[in-house]
């Protein structure tokens, strides 16, 4: 097995930037001009200081003018660098984040059963940003190193002994820094991993704020977050302590070098082997000399940061754990709505099979009710029919075609699925409704909302442009479900799957939606999972599920008469009221 390069993910990221070669070329040209200007600044400064000592006023004026021109030109070039960098790096990061979000949206649904939201946010936002802006910093550092090396070469021309001292300093500095950088990379990986846990903890607390308050669990939530924070800051302290110890050693080395250089320079002046202007040039360019070593250090540190972020990003993009959904190539222009399950086996994990050799046939235009105890497989049945989850064995047929052979567009246009807890986005009611059908007219939207018995509420609330808050927090559970139902009806799919879609409604609203469902059945196949059996009593067929099996099926009155399990469900406390 070939050992992966230490910075393999960093170089992999650079290869993806081939589409930005033109931007990087122009940026590098301007950045080169900037570092070239800076190359001459210490030379002019050294000669200026020497002329001040010698009181050469004409030369002082000329050098001041040159110095001012160099500085002003540097300011202009630096402004151009900032504007160029901000523009194309912002575009690059946006495109990269879009790619990451596309990867997330196309990942199999099973992944999100265990995924941490905070970790996805960190990878898609923070890590993508680190990679984008890191590219500019790396380019500038490389150019700075080249310019500073030229300056060190210039020092050799001035005096070979001073040059040798500088080379010895750079070598020692590099050896110490290399050790520092290896530890930094290890500490940074641990730090970023725990940073994701902190972000996830905050996200979970914000999402669950009402439950936390209702359960009087604020102290528990704070304790849990405090423990996560403590571990995070332990990693942070470990990283920063190591860095500061090494930086202290490196700065001490820089100070020793400075004193040694000035001391040797003065000695060489005393024996006429060096000149005061040359020493002042070395003094003025001290930061450039140190910069050769420091920029090597900072460059490695920046690349290490980018390597950690790139590894986290490509772990999301390339890892089999985040494998994409798989669809076929068959596209159906028209959908009737026939559904058939043949010997279907499905399990969420390898240990327990929820469905085994499950068979079911539903004709187009039928309304099907599914009832049973919690955990019996009712919701899962809808999830595999809509291909939110892939079955392990058997076949699911849509109009006679294996669903695995159909394109994603065909399946999503054929089937709409209203979940138990529909997600309402932090946006207007109108935009939430148009999520499923952006081209829907206002008349179509109003008609769908009237069918779902939500139109009057929307008008009372202030109209379709009213905001609903994050996750629809400003709406009741029943209002959220009715908006989700309207959204589903607006999508005009031939197959509508409703998972407890009427469970949070009052009796009056439930009756109206039942009528809307009955009307929609004339042109659609509708499958309803219901806790309230009164919701499905008018369905063409009712499936009774228990422990992943369909134990009985038939019409309401037949089941009520012949099936004791169904009868007990119907007459339970939650279903007695119609």
């Amino acid at each position: 097995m070939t050992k992966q390069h230490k910075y393999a993910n960093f170089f992999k990221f650079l290869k993806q930037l081939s589409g930005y070669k033109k931007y990087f070329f122009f940026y590098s040209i301007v950045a080169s001009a900037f570092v070239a200007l800076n190359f001459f600044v210490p030379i002019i400064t050294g000669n200026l200081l020497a002329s001040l000592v010698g009181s050469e006023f004409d030369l002082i004026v000329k050098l001041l003018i040159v110095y001012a021109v160099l500085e002003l030109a540097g300011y202009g070039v630096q402004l151009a660098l900032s504007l160029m960098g901000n523009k194309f790096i912002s575009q690059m990061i946006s495109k990269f984040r879009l790619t990451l979000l596309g990867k997330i949206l196309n990942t199999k649904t099973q992944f999100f059963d265990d995924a941490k939201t905070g970790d996805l946010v960190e990878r898609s936002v923070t890590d993508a940003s680190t990679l984008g802006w890191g590219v500019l910093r790396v380019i500038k550092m490389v150019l700075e190193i080249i310019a500073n090396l030229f300056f060190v070469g210039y020092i050799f021309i001035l005096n070979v002994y001073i040059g040798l001292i500088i080379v010895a300093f750079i070598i020692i500095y590099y050896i110490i820094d290399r050790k520092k950088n290896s530890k930094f990379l290890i500490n940074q990986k641990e730090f970023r991993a725990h940073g994701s846990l902190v972000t996830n903890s905050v996200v979970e607390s914000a999402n669950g704020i009402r439950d936390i308050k209702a359960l009087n669990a604020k102290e528990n939530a704070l304790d849990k977050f405090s423990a996560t924070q403590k571990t995070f800051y332990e990693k942070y302290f470990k990283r920063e302590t190591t860095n500061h110890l090494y930086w202290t050693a490196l700065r001490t080395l820089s100070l020793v070098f400075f004193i040694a250089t000035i001391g040797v320079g003065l000695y060489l002046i005393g024996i006429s082997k060096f000149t005061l202007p040359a020493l002042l040039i070395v003094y003025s360019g001290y930061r450039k000399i140190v910069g050769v070593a420091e920029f090597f250090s900072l460059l490695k540190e920046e690349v290490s940061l980018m390597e950690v972020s790139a590894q986290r990003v490509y772990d999301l993009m390339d890892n089999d754990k985040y494998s994409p959904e798989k669809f076929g190539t068959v596209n159906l222009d028209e959908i009737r709505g026939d559904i058939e399950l043949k010997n279907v086996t499905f399990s969420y994990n390898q240990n327990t099979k929820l469905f085994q050799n499950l068979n079911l046939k539903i004709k187009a235009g039928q309304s099907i009710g599914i009832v049973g105890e919690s955990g019996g497989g009712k919701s899962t049945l809808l999830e595999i029919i809509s291909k939110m989850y892939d079955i392990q064995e058997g076949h699911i047929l849509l109009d006679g075609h294996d669903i695995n052979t159909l394109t994603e567009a065909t399946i999503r246009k054929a089937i709409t699925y209203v979940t138990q807890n529909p997600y309402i986005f932090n946006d207007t009611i109108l935009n939430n409704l148009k999520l499923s059908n952006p081209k829907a007219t206002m008349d179509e939207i109003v008609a769908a909302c009237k069918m779902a018995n939500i139109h009057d509420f929307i008008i009372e609330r202030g109209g379709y442009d009213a905001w609903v808050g994050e996750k629809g927090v400003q709406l009741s559970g029943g209002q959220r479900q009715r908006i989700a139902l309207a959204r589903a009806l607006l999508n005009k799919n031939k197959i509508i799957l409703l998972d407890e879609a009427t469970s949070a409604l009052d009796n009056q609203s439930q009756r109206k939606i039942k009528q809307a469902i009955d009307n929609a059945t004339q042109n659609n196949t509708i499958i309803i999972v219901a806790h309230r059996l009164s919701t499905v009593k008018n369905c063409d067929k009712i499936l009774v599920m228990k422990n992943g099996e369909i134990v009985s099926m038939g019409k309401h009155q037949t089941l009520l008469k012949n099936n004791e399990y169904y009868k007990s469900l119907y007459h339970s406390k939650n279903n007695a009221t119609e």
Side-chain angles (χ1 to χ4, degrees):
M1 184 176 179
T2 305
K3 186 178 180 181
Q4 190 179 43
H5 190 278
K6 184 178 179 181
Y7 298 115
N9 293 292
F10 168 75
F11 289 118
K12 184 176 180 179
F13 173 71
L14 292 184
K15 288 180 182 178
Q16 283 195 259
L17 303 180
S18 57
Y20 297 91
K21 285 181 180 177
K22 181 175 70 174
Y23 293 102
F24 286 120
F25 175 75
F26 285 115
Y27 184 86
S28 298
I29 292 292
V30 178
S32 298
F34 178 71
V35 296
L37 289 169
N38 282 340
F39 171 81
F40 291 104
V41 169
I43 298 174
I44 299 299
T45 304
N47 283 291
L48 180 59
L49 291 172
S51 63
L52 286 171
V53 174
S55 300
E56 301 174 46
F57 293 108
D58 290 341
L59 182 59
I60 291 171
V61 172
K62 292 177 182 178
L63 289 172
L64 278 173
I65 292 172
V66 174
Y67 179 80
V69 169
L70 286 175
E71 287 291 333
L72 289 172
Y75 297 155
V77 173
Q78 197 166 21
L79 176 63
L81 279 175
S82 297
L83 294 176
M84 286 177 62
N86 289 339
K87 182 177 180 180
F88 83 80
I89 288 297
S90 296
Q91 292 175 352
M92 187 183 77
I93 292 174
S94 297
K95 187 176 180 180
F96 198 48
R97 284 176 178 163
L98 189 63
T99 302
L100 286 172
L101 181 59
K103 170 69 178 180
I104 292 169
L105 292 177
N106 288 317
T107 298
K108 287 184 178 180
T109 308
Q110 289 98 316
F111 162 72
F112 298 98
D113 293 341
D114 301 315
K116 292 181 173 64
T117 305
D119 185 54
L120 294 177
V121 171
E122 282 281 307
R123 293 176 194 241
S124 303
V125 179
T126 306
D127 289 315
S129 182
T130 297
L131 289 171
W133 294 110
V135 172
L136 291 190
R137 289 191 288 268
V138 166
I139 291 174
K140 195 171 180 182
M141 285 177 193
V142 169
L143 293 172
E144 288 276 10
I145 289 170
I146 293 171
N148 292 345
L149 285 172
F150 273 109
F151 185 76
V152 171
Y154 179 73
I155 298 297
F156 264 97
I157 295 172
L158 294 177
N159 188 278
V160 68
Y161 297 109
I162 299 295
L164 289 172
I165 292 173
I166 291 170
V167 170
F169 161 73
I170 292 172
I171 291 172
I172 296 170
Y173 194 105
Y174 177 78
I175 291 170
I176 296 174
D177 173 69
R178 186 175 181 180
K179 193 171 182 180
K180 175 188 79 73
N181 197 64
S182 63
K183 291 189 176 182
F184 174 81
L185 185 59
I186 295 170
N187 293 339
Q188 179 66 9
K189 286 180 180 179
E190 294 178 353
F191 173 73
R192 290 309 310 277
H194 283 81
S196 293
L197 295 178
V198 171
T199 302
N200 192 66
S201 183
V202 173
V203 170
E204 284 189 335
S205 295
N207 288 340
I209 186 66
R210 281 164 180 75
D211 293 289
I212 289 172
K213 288 185 176 183
L215 295 170
N216 192 27
K218 287 191 287 186
E219 289 298 323
N220 186 32
L222 287 170
D223 289 342
K224 183 180 178 182
F225 180 72
S226 179
T228 306
Q229 276 277 83
K230 182 181 178 183
T231 306
F232 170 73
Y233 277 109
E234 284 173 355
K235 300 299 180 183
Y236 172 80
F237 183 75
K238 180 182 177 183
R239 186 192 72 170
E240 292 304 302
T241 299
T242 303
N243 274 5
H244 284 300
L245 286 172
Y246 274 100
W247 275 118
T248 300
L250 292 171
R251 285 176 182 139
T252 302
L253 177 65
S254 299
L255 177 62
V256 171
F257 154 74
F258 177 74
I259 294 171
T261 304
I262 297 299
V264 172
L266 290 172
Y267 170 76
L268 292 172
I269 290 172
I271 60 173
S272 301
K273 296 288 186 179
F274 206 37
T275 64
L276 180 61
L279 182 60
L280 290 172
I281 289 173
V282 174
Y283 171 78
S284 301
Y286 166 72
R287 288 307 311 163
K288 287 193 168 296
I289 297 167
V290 176
V292 174
E294 281 192 351
F295 276 121
F296 266 120
S297 169
L298 292 172
L299 178 62
K300 288 187 68 178
E301 190 170 304
E302 186 65 42
V303 171
S304 295
L305 285 170
M306 293 178 69
E307 170 63 23
V308 172
S309 290
Q311 184 181 32
R312 286 165 53 80
V313 166
Y314 288 120
D315 184 49
L316 174 61
M317 295 182 72
D318 300 337
N319 198 318
D320 290 339
K321 177 182 176 183
Y322 311 100
S323 57
E325 296 174 297
K326 294 180 181 179
F327 296 93
T329 58
V330 177
N331 188 60
L332 302 181
D333 294 327
E334 293 186 8
I335 302 293
R336 297 189 306 276
D338 291 321
I339 301 169
E340 185 174 1
L341 278 68
K342 288 186 174 181
N343 300 317
V344 167
T345 297
F346 173 80
S347 62
Y348 287 105
N349 55 65
Q350 296 179 350
N351 299 324
T352 307
K353 291 183 178 180
L354 181 58
F355 299 142
Q356 189 161 9
N357 296 322
L358 183 67
N359 291 278
L360 175 65
K361 199 167 186 176
I362 300 171
K363 294 181 180 179
Q366 279 190 319
S367 59
I368 304 295
I370 306 176
V371 301
E373 295 174 348
S374 297
K378 304 186 300 296
S379 298
T380 304
L381 183 58
L382 299 191
E383 288 176 331
I384 63 172
I385 289 174
S386 60
K387 208 178 184 312
M388 292 295 175
Y389 288 85
D390 290 327
I391 59 175
Q392 282 82 41
E393 296 177 19
H395 301 277
I396 297 176
L397 306 181
L398 179 60
D399 286 353
H401 298 270
D402 191 314
I403 200 168
N404 289 324
T405 67
L406 301 178
T407 63
E408 182 179 14
T410 294
I411 295 169
R412 301 303 173 221
K413 287 178 182 177
I415 304 171
T416 190
Y417 178 26
V418 181
T419 63
Q420 292 184 45
N421 300 297
Y423 195 93
I424 305 297
F425 293 85
N426 187 16
D427 206 330
T428 63
I429 294 173
L430 180 62
N431 286 339
N432 268 285
L433 291 166
K434 293 181 76 172
L435 179 69
S436 61
N437 186 359
K439 296 181 179 179
T441 66
M442 203 61 212
D443 288 342
E444 290 173 326
I445 291 169
V446 170
C449 288
K450 285 182 176 179
M451 286 187 71
N453 194 33
I454 193 65
H455 173 72
D456 292 342
F457 163 77
I458 293 172
I459 298 303
E460 290 172 6
R461 184 174 171 77
Y464 284 82
D465 290 325
W467 283 72
V468 295
E470 188 171 0
K471 292 187 177 181
V473 70
Q474 297 177 26
L475 306 172
S476 70
Q479 290 159 356
R480 286 195 294 272
Q481 287 186 321
R482 280 181 279 168
I483 286 177
L485 181 57
R487 190 162 61 188
L489 294 171
L490 190 62
N491 210 21
K492 299 180 180 179
N493 303 90
K494 295 300 289 185
I495 300 170
I496 300 175
L497 311 180
L498 305 176
D499 192 355
E500 305 283 6
T502 61
S503 62
L505 304 183
D506 56 63
N507 290 333
Q508 184 179 3
S509 297
Q510 183 194 2
R511 281 193 291 270
K512 290 182 179 180
I513 290 184
K514 277 174 60 182
Q515 184 60 52
I517 293 172
D518 290 341
N519 294 335
T521 306
Q522 297 174 12
N523 299 310
N524 301 296
T525 305
I526 295 184
I527 306 176
I528 310 165
V529 168
H531 224 51
R532 285 178 166 179
L533 271 63
S534 56
T535 306
V536 297
K537 61 184 294 186
N538 294 329
C539 287
D540 296 322
K541 187 188 294 182
I542 298 173
L543 311 181
V544 183
M545 296 195 69
K546 190 174 184 180
N547 299 325
E549 296 182 5
I550 299 173
V551 295
S552 186
M553 67 173 69
K555 281 188 167 292
H556 169 67
Q557 290 298 336
T558 303
L559 289 170
L560 197 61
K561 182 179 179 180
N562 300 325
N563 191 289
E564 288 298 323
Y565 178 57
Y566 180 81
K567 187 176 181 180
S568 66
L569 288 173
Y570 183 73
H571 289 296
S572 66
K573 182 178 179 181
N574 291 330
N575 295 308
T577 304
E578 298 186 29

